[in-house]
Amino acid sequence: MSNKIKRLSMTDLSGSGRGKFIDELFLGLKEYGFVVLQDHSIRQSQLDQAYQLATAFFDLPLDIKMKYDSGQGGARGYTSFGRENAKGNPYSDLKEFWHVGQEVGIGSPYRNVYPANLWPAELPEFKTVFQQLFRDLETLGKTVLEALGEAMELEQDFFRNLVKEGNSICRILHYPSVAGLDTSNSMRAAAHADINLLTLLVGATDSGLELLDKDGNWMPVVSDETEIVLDTGDMMSRLTNELLPSTVHRVVNPMRQDTSRYSMPFFLHPHNGANLECLPQCSGDSGPKYPPITAGEFLDQRLKEIGLTTT
């Protein structure tokens, strides 16, 4: 286990250790793009139930699962095995997944922009459980964002406004057994960086997650079922001019070929109209490294690059 990735207790954020927590959070993400959160607010019984439902869904016959293929760039519902690839990699990842997305009110400008969620009729509890998990992970993500905003001396509501009605996604992932598959060119998740602001990964059912450190070495990211792995994505990297990097990571194939892996990353996104222009305090002497772009435009661009949409 690497001791370089910081492990932080969320209880310190509301106590006397708040200042140290914020400093360590910022430093940990600046150095590695990853930290591990302990003592968070997501109940283990809630996660256990979510994983039971995830297993039950992915165990369904393919023809039933395909009833829930959204056909919209994987934005909602089911995306079948082998459909997604890492940016710049022609070989598909060895995974299938389900997306639960943001739900907005009737008066929202994104009411007809964000697709409606799909729910499997075969699992009546699925909707309630994953709607609640989405809300709880979004709340935790917003709390972390506000702490980062404080570290960067941003206006108190900067990130809150950025992610209000954000186009966030809870991805329920299944990496099936690779026994009998050609794995010479493909792995469970090839090297990639996340698209969004922050990713919160609740304890996966198996190991395999690795990050690429600044020296070009692959480092295992180890966590248990009670912890959440937090990392920064490309949108945060653009905002901060790479001060908070979007670290490349991957999920390697297992030593035992007949094992499955499940995980549930929550991708915290801004709303589609949010401006991802470099923050003034991060521009440095040489200025911004990236031109202004909206979160929606950037997301569309990246979805094309990873093979989920062609339009």
Side-chain angles (χ1 to χ4, degrees):
M1 178 184 296
S2 169
N3 59 5
K4 296 179 180 179
I5 301 172
K6 293 185 182 294
R7 311 183 97 78
L8 305 174
S9 171
M10 290 299 296
T11 58
D12 290 336
L13 189 56
S14 58
S16 59
R18 177 179 175 83
K20 182 179 179 182
F21 176 96
I22 290 174
D23 289 344
E24 292 286 285
L25 172 68
F26 185 80
L27 183 60
L29 292 176
K30 181 180 178 182
E31 289 182 339
Y32 288 100
F34 276 76
V35 299
V36 175
L37 300 178
Q38 301 171 323
D39 308 313
H40 52 81
S41 54
I42 314 297
R43 292 176 290 106
Q44 190 58 45
S45 59
Q46 182 182 6
L47 297 178
D48 291 343
Q49 186 179 19
Y51 273 120
Q52 289 168 7
L53 287 166
T55 302
F57 174 77
F58 290 117
D59 281 347
L60 292 172
L62 180 60
D63 61 335
I64 293 179
K65 291 186 287 191
M66 289 302 293
K67 292 194 306 182
Y68 304 104
D69 183 348
S70 70
Q72 300 179 57
R76 301 290 186 271
Y78 178 65
T79 297
S80 57
F81 182 83
R83 185 171 161 193
E84 184 181 71
N85 57 274
K87 176 184 175 183
N89 189 328
Y91 301 103
S92 298
D93 287 347
L94 305 176
K95 66 191 180 189
E96 58 181 339
F97 53 87
W98 180 284
H99 275 172
V100 177
Q102 184 71 268
E103 296 181 334
V104 295
I106 293 175
S108 169
Y110 298 111
R111 178 73 173 184
N112 297 316
V113 176
Y114 300 162
N117 276 312
L118 304 175
W119 304 108
E122 294 77 7
L123 299 168
E125 294 178 289
F126 196 97
K127 177 178 179 179
T128 301
V129 169
F130 282 104
Q131 279 181 326
Q132 186 62 53
L133 183 60
F134 184 102
R135 289 192 292 266
D136 291 346
L137 288 169
E138 183 179 42
T139 297
L140 178 59
K142 287 178 178 178
T143 300
V144 174
L145 273 181
E146 289 182 0
L148 286 175
E150 190 170 330
M152 291 187 280
E153 299 182 342
L154 297 172
E155 294 181 10
Q156 188 173 5
D157 60 353
F158 174 82
F159 278 121
R160 183 177 294 275
N161 291 336
L162 202 70
V163 299
K164 182 181 180 182
E165 298 188 332
N167 195 9
S168 298
I169 289 287
C170 182
R171 173 178 280 194
I172 307 156
L173 266 165
H174 177 219
Y175 302 96
S177 162
V178 297
L181 298 178
D182 180 3
T183 58
S184 56
N185 293 309
S186 294
M187 64 176 63
R188 285 181 157 174
H192 67 283
D194 290 342
I195 299 171
N196 43 294
L197 285 172
L198 291 179
T199 300
L200 295 94
L201 175 65
V202 298
T205 61
D206 196 6
S207 60
L209 178 63
E210 299 179 344
L211 68 82
L212 187 65
D213 69 18
K214 293 179 179 178
D215 296 323
N217 300 312
W218 288 105
M219 175 192 301
V221 181
V222 181
S223 64
D224 63 34
E225 63 180 6
T226 70
E227 298 173 319
I228 288 180
V229 177
L230 176 80
D231 70 89
T232 39
D234 288 343
M235 292 184 180
M236 181 65 77
S237 180
R238 291 182 77 102
L239 276 174
T240 63
N241 222 25
E242 299 181 356
L243 180 64
L244 297 181
S246 182
T247 299
V248 172
H249 52 284
R250 66 185 184 182
V251 179
V252 298
N253 294 333
M255 295 294 292
R256 280 190 53 189
Q257 301 282 293
D258 60 345
T259 59
S260 288
R261 182 182 191 266
Y262 298 86
S263 68
M264 290 184 289
F266 181 83
F267 302 117
L268 185 61
H269 280 257
H271 59 84
N272 272 18
N275 186 359
L276 298 180
E277 186 173 7
C278 174
L279 296 169
Q281 58 267 56
C282 299
S283 61
D285 295 336
S286 57
K289 297 178 181 179
Y290 304 98
I293 192 172
T294 69
E297 291 167 342
F298 185 69
L299 177 61
D300 288 343
Q301 174 182 304
R302 288 296 305 276
L303 289 176
K304 293 174 187 175
E305 292 169 343
I306 63 175
L308 286 183
T309 182
T310 58
T311 58

